[in-house]
Amino acid sequence: MPLTSFAFPFRKNVDHRRFRSLARAFDGIQPQIEKESEQLRRARKRMTDCAAFSLEAIENGEKSECMAATLESLEQALAANRERQLVLEQQMSFLTRTRADLPSVLRFDTE
């Protein structure tokens, strides 16, 4: 029996559709990351303002354990905020790099 060409269901545009879908998913994820990052920035601003007022109160003679506990809590919250911000920066970097690499992988324009 002679070999004949096999009809494969593969089409080049299948890959293009698949990876365009991935690019659209990235487009949906990016605003989520940006929104969370902005919320973290606003929260950090509020925490640093609160810490500044607390330090001012201590400098003006208010020496309560409550104030010290507040400052310690703010310090921990600021550290957690910064750690989360770093994670979001890594995620955004990943999205940016991967999105930029899509055309080279499949040689198509993602727009």
Side-chain angles (χ1 to χ4, degrees), residues 65-84:
E65 289 180 22
C66 180
M67 196 63 67
T70 297
L71 285 172
E72 186 176 328
S73 176
L74 285 168
E75 182 180 7
Q76 291 171 357
L78 282 166
N81 180 293
R82 182 63 187 144
E83 287 177 27
R84 182 61 184 162

Side-chain angles (χ1 to χ4, degrees), residues 12-56:
K12 189 174 183 177
N13 66 356
V14 170
D15 289 337
H16 289 229
R17 283 195 316 258
R18 184 176 297 130
F19 283 90
R20 281 194 177 113
S21 177
L22 179 61
R24 282 191 301 275
F26 285 179
D27 289 343
I29 294 169
Q30 183 175 344
Q32 295 171 13
I33 294 171
E34 291 169 346
K35 180 180 178 182
E36 184 180 353
S37 183
E38 179 57 32
Q39 290 170 338
L40 287 169
R41 278 191 283 278
R42 287 194 306 262
R44 185 173 58 247
K45 170 78 170 102
R46 286 190 306 271
M47 287 185 279
T48 55
D49 289 348
C50 186
F53 288 125
S54 297
L55 284 172
E56 185 178 344

Side-chain angles (χ1 to χ4, degrees), residues 87-102:
V87 167
L88 293 176
E89 288 171 13
Q90 290 172 343
Q91 290 176 7
M92 187 62 79
S93 177
F94 169 79
L95 287 176
T96 301
R97 284 189 325 270
T98 304
R99 175 109 174 153
D101 286 346
L102 286 177

